[in-house]
Amino acid sequence: QSVLTQPPSVSEAPGQRVTISCSGSNSNIGDNAVTWYQQLPGKAPKLLMYDNNLLPSGVSARFSGSKSGTSASLAISGLQSEDEADYYCSAWDDTLNGWVFGGGTKVTVL
Amino acid sequence: EEQLLESGGGLIQPGGSLRLSCGGSEFTFRKYGMSWVRQAPGKGLDWVSCITASGGSRFYADSVKGRFTVSRDSSKNTVYLQMNSLRAEDTAIYYCAKVSETYCSRSSHMDYWGQGTLVTVSS
């Protein structure tokens, strides 16, 4: 069981928008910034978003993030086939004194 | 761009030991914390351990505390994960990741990842 909760999968047609939710608690998301990682099939995870809504250099602006209370979300607009991947949310947990992850959400482009 | 390369994985019997290494390049290794994250076959990401830039503080997931030890040799740009008393549930790809700051803390995150090394614990 993951500390952070994500839906197992989401799917949408090309060009549409999808949103992935990530739910935690006061000891992690409630108190700390959320990071999102993208893992393409057979590849290592890659930093997608940090500090809730900041994009690393080179990441498409089609990705956006938000946080409210103990929940966060990642949105992908203008969905493309190259966005098919697993997406993980993460945050530092003050009780566990380490990072925790969500179980991952598989995005499928129909 | 920052590069990380893990090595040392393999097949090991339950109860055995293994040491993973991760070499960093294209960044000032001694200035950053380093972390290990694992992924069991077909499963999600699972944080394992983190060591600060100085090596003075180390953090572990409860599942590996007392069995795994993280260390670093910044003169060799390398971080290690010594894994003892291995169990079947430790079977996973182990990724090394660079931390965005000096410390492993609430204000940091993992910004660059290696390609991983597979550890299989089986008799």
Side-chain angles (χ1 to χ4, degrees):
Chain A
Q1 290 283 40
S2 301
V3 174
L4 305 181
T5 302
Q6 298 179 234
S9 63
V10 296
S11 59
E12 191 48 271
Q16 297 303 303
R17 183 175 188 269
V18 293
T19 302
I20 300 170
S21 60
C22 175
S23 178
S25 66
N26 288 330
S27 64
N28 41 67
I29 293 178
D31 246 8
N32 301 308
V34 175
T35 303
W36 290 90
Y37 299 97
Q38 178 192 57
Q39 187 174 33
L40 295 170
K43 300 294 187 182
K46 169 193 161 186
L47 178 64
L48 186 69
M49 187 165 300
Y50 65 100
D51 288 357
N52 304 322
N53 58 12
L54 299 183
L55 294 173
S57 174
V59 173
S60 172
R62 296 186 296 104
F63 295 93
S64 61
S66 65
K67 188 186 102 167
S68 178
T70 60
S71 294
S73 64
L74 172 73
I76 312 173
S77 59
L79 202 59
Q80 299 178 4
S81 58
E82 66 201 51
D83 299 330
E84 284 204 335
D86 292 324
Y87 293 83
Y88 295 89
C89 60
S90 178
W92 182 266
D93 191 291
D94 295 329
T95 300
L96 299 175
N97 227 14
W99 284 290
V100 292
F101 286 94
T105 299
K106 183 176 183 62
V107 170
T108 300
V109 182
L110 299 173
Chain B
E1 183 175 291
E2 288 82 336
Q3 308 260 359
L4 296 165
L5 184 63
E6 303 92 338
S7 62
L11 175 63
I12 187 76
Q13 291 190 339
S17 297
L18 208 57
R19 188 178 83 156
L20 305 182
S21 300
C22 171
S25 59
E26 308 305 322
F27 65 99
T28 307
F29 186 87
R30 60 180 171 79
K31 287 189 174 181
Y32 295 95
M34 296 296 295
S35 185
W36 289 94
V37 177
R38 66 186 179 182
Q39 186 171 34
K43 302 296 184 181
L45 301 175
D46 181 30
W47 174 75
V48 172
S49 181
C50 188
I51 184 168
T52 56
S54 68
S57 294
R58 310 174 194 202
F59 303 83
Y60 300 95
D62 287 344
S63 58
V64 306
K65 209 170 287 184
R67 299 188 300 124
F68 290 12
T69 301
V70 63
S71 62
R72 65 189 295 159
D73 184 343
S74 290
S75 70
K76 296 182 179 178
N77 286 1
T78 301
V79 61
Y80 305 98
L81 186 68
Q82 177 67 43
M83 304 186 295
N84 299 332
S85 303
L86 282 162
R87 307 165 180 167
E89 54 264 36
D90 295 319
T91 294
I93 296 173
Y94 283 73
Y95 295 103
C96 157
K98 171 185 166 289
V99 178
S100 59
E101 299 181 355
T102 300
Y103 300 105
C104 312
S105 71
R106 62 197 324 198
S107 65
S108 60
H109 57 272
M110 293 167 279
D111 55 4
Y112 290 92
W113 298 58
Q115 288 305 303
T117 186
L118 177 62
V119 172
T120 303
V121 184
S122 175
S123 54

